[in-house]
Amino acid sequence: MSSPEIASLSWGQMKVKGCSTTYKDCKVWPGGSRTWDWRETGTNHSPGVQPADLEEVVQKGVKTVVIGRGMSEALQVPRATVDYLKKNGIDVLVLQTEKAVAEYNALVAQGVKVGGVFHSTC
């Protein structure tokens, strides 16, 4: 099962190919996507993305995770989160969201089992 391409990104809006939902923040993995609701894990811009935000994506058997920190990179990614992914044998890329989406889509095109979490505003 392949990861879905991100079809479009603009401030506050993301579309995933094959999905009718418009996301503000989203999680993607091989075979699916959904809204990334920060309230589920108590995530805020600081300290930022937590391992709990990534568990669902990791459980899908991804080899790489791309984290989009927002258009202005306001969303932090603590060392503990990166370490969590590496301990699970997963490569991680932490980038500004536009760059993250471009990198994610390039990995999808190469057939990599890639997942991601993307913040589409600040």
Side-chain angles (χ1 to χ4, degrees):
M1 194 169 300
S2 61
S3 300
E5 183 183 326
I6 295 174
S8 66
L9 167 69
S10 59
W11 184 273
Q13 295 190 334
M14 297 184 72
K15 297 283 267 170
V16 174
K17 207 171 204 176
C19 178
S20 60
T21 304
T22 299
Y23 300 115
K24 176 178 170 251
D25 299 321
C26 74
K27 296 182 178 189
V28 290
W29 58 81
S33 65
R34 77 171 182 93
T35 294
W36 177 19
D37 182 352
W38 292 14
R39 292 172 296 197
E40 292 172 359
T41 56
T43 293
N44 287 297
H45 287 99
S46 181
V49 183
Q50 302 169 62
D53 293 310
L54 299 168
E55 284 175 2
E56 179 178 20
V57 174
V58 167
Q59 290 169 1
K60 304 295 184 182
V62 296
K63 301 294 177 215
T64 303
V65 167
V66 181
I67 300 173
R69 293 187 52 210
M71 300 301 211
S72 304
E73 299 184 89
L75 180 60
Q76 301 301 302
V77 180
R79 167 69 38 206
T81 299
V82 172
D83 290 346
Y84 162 76
L85 292 167
K86 289 184 174 177
K87 271 188 220 156
N88 281 283
I90 298 168
D91 292 329
V92 59
L93 297 166
V94 178
L95 301 163
Q96 184 268 356
T97 297
E98 290 161 310
K99 291 178 178 143
V101 166
E103 191 63 35
Y104 169 87
N105 281 341
L107 290 165
V108 168
Q110 294 167 29
V112 174
K113 279 190 87 170
V114 61
V117 294
F118 301 96
H119 179 43
S120 72
T121 58
C122 45

